[in-house]
Amino acid sequence: MSDYYNAFEMSPVPTPGPDAVPPEPFHGIYGMPAFVTIPTNDLAASVDFWIRGLGFFELFSIPGQLVHLRRWAFQDVLLVSAPSVPEQPPAMSFSFAGVLNQVDSLVEACRALRPDSVDGPRDTPWNTRDVEVITPENARIVFTAAKPFDPASQEARNLEAIGITPPGDDGRGGNGEHA
């Protein structure tokens, strides 16, 4: 028995597939359950990269101090003015979800702005295609897109080994007692 159950209705991320359509950028104001704060010594250059390269938009700003960026609901980034930024990217990363048909255009956009900023894409053992981007502030950002689920794949076996099963006839991944 697994303690996991399907709760995808809570997420703006669409069901993985070749025709998955990303949600529209979310302009609502809500209590943010999590967000990342990134210091930058060039607020304008950082905002430009995040918007044109990574697909975020400016939700609001406090001129010269802070810019609140967002893509989908729950994908919030605060860029804050700082006197300096780290010389090297940290080992830690911030990941945000997209859909497969956005991978190539994100890679192209980021490389057009900063040619050496992108590593990937690469497929993961947990059934995603990931692109690592180093931003102007030396933040390590991972754009991750779920691949369509193939029950016969090694990725499916990897997930099943840790108790995550695909949706069954009841649509609850065999975990109906939890839903």
Side-chain angles (χ1 to χ4, degrees), residues 73-175:
F74 312 121
Q75 293 183 341
D76 293 278
V77 173
L78 302 180
L79 295 175
V80 295
S81 186
S84 65
V85 297
E87 290 185 28
Q88 297 293 318
M92 187 178 80
S93 64
F94 166 67
S95 299
F96 66 93
V99 297
L100 278 176
N101 66 17
Q102 296 178 307
V103 171
D104 291 340
S105 61
L106 181 128
V107 167
E108 290 172 16
C110 288
R111 283 191 176 137
L113 294 166
R114 292 176 50 97
D116 297 327
S117 65
V118 178
D119 181 23
R122 66 181 168 277
D123 291 342
T124 69
W126 45 90
N127 206 41
T128 64
R129 183 159 299 143
D130 290 3
V131 175
E132 183 179 276
V133 178
I134 304 301
T135 68
E137 331 57 59
N138 277 328
R140 185 178 307 276
I141 305 303
V142 176
F143 176 86
T144 184
K147 298 185 314 186
F149 186 78
D150 175 1
S153 69
Q154 180 60 49
E155 291 88 349
R157 291 188 291 280
N158 295 343
L159 294 170
E160 186 174 4
I162 61 171
I164 299 174
T165 57
D169 291 335
D170 66 359
R172 298 183 180 163
N175 300 303

Side-chain angles (χ1 to χ4, degrees), residues 10-22:
M10 292 180 59
S11 174
V13 180
T15 302
D19 298 327
V21 176

